[in-house]
Amino acid sequence: MAVSAVLVVGALLALAIGALASSRERLVSFAVAGQLDGVSLDLGEASVDVMAGTQGSTVRVERLDRFTFGHAAQVQRTVEAGRLRLRSRCPVTVLYSCSAAYRVVVPDNVPVDVRTGGGNVRFHGYRGSARISTDRGNITVDGFCGFLLQARTETGDVDASSSCPPPQLSLRSTSGDVVATVPPGRYQVDAASASGSLAVRNVVETADAPFSIEVLSSTGDVLVEGQR
């Protein structure tokens, strides 16, 4: 048994040394020419930052890969019916590591759909409509201005701020905290938490308001607040 233990430890040490020696970091970037009608990102465990572009500019994508033994994330990219579709997955194995992080610049009024498993999702100053879904990641949106923002996570937190009154704002988490910060005004508000705290401040709740806010969590805290 002692000999077997030594062999196992030696093999693990050799793998660790090999992983360290083969560790690589690579930055890949590309732009999509022409007018797009939408962007769909299916990113597995990768995190993503979506940045605001300008009206009529191109979509630009940067990916930072970190990997060992030459096995980087596998990426599929297509443009169909005016929509950019990007699918990213790291190979499933215990023998080496792989991670990817994305930065995507999106012009105004180009809808974005994002789906991740465990990656965090961040939007910065985005102007358009967005649907965001993640299983275990956190969702952070700042400076949003658009028609629709829908963000859902199972175990992460959701924190979204809007620079203009959103016609449709829907934020949900099963077990995380959910915060919506909006300009002061009149809103239809549906805010609830089954077992967490609930607060609605500095907004006027009325059923005939033109703007709708839905902020829900099963076990986390919920806050809806008008900007001061």
Side-chain angles (χ1 to χ4, degrees), residues 2-200:
V3 173
S4 297
V6 170
L7 291 175
V8 170
V9 171
L12 292 176
L13 182 60
L15 283 174
I17 294 173
L20 183 62
S22 66
S23 179
R24 297 290 183 271
E25 184 172 289
R26 179 178 65 188
L27 182 64
V28 179
S29 63
F30 66 88
V32 181
Q35 181 67 36
L36 290 175
D37 297 324
V39 175
S40 294
L41 306 174
D42 180 7
L43 302 181
E45 300 301 304
S47 61
V48 59
D49 284 80
V50 177
M51 317 294 294
T54 58
Q55 185 71 40
S57 63
T58 60
V59 171
R60 299 191 302 277
V61 178
E62 292 182 356
R63 184 181 78 251
L64 179 62
D65 287 325
R66 293 186 175 94
F67 56 95
T68 59
F69 297 111
H71 296 284
Q74 300 170 351
V75 181
Q76 298 173 344
R77 184 181 81 199
T78 61
V79 177
E80 299 176 354
R83 177 173 287 269
L84 170 64
R85 300 183 184 276
L86 192 67
R87 186 180 188 275
S88 177
R89 292 289 189 278
C90 277
V92 179
T93 179
V94 297
L95 296 180
Y96 50 84
S97 64
C98 165
S99 68
Y102 284 82
R103 182 178 183 271
V104 183
V105 179
V106 182
D108 294 350
N109 301 317
V110 176
V112 178
D113 292 345
V114 178
R115 175 77 176 91
T116 76
N120 295 323
V121 180
R122 294 171 292 266
F123 276 63
H124 308 275
Y126 171 74
R127 297 177 292 272
S129 291
R131 290 180 171 85
I132 307 165
S133 177
T134 179
D135 295 333
R136 301 174 303 282
N138 297 320
I139 299 172
T140 305
V141 180
D142 61 73
F144 170 81
C145 186
F147 180 78
L148 168 70
L149 174 59
Q150 183 182 85
R152 300 187 180 190
T153 179
E154 292 297 323
T155 61
D157 298 330
V158 182
D159 189 340
S161 67
S162 177
S163 61
C164 62
Q168 295 184 39
L169 178 66
S170 176
L171 311 177
R172 294 189 178 194
S173 177
T174 300
S175 61
D177 299 335
V178 185
V179 177
T181 306
V182 296
R186 300 167 62 249
Y187 295 89
Q188 300 177 44
V189 179
D190 179 11
S193 175
S195 59
S197 66
L198 170 64
V200 179

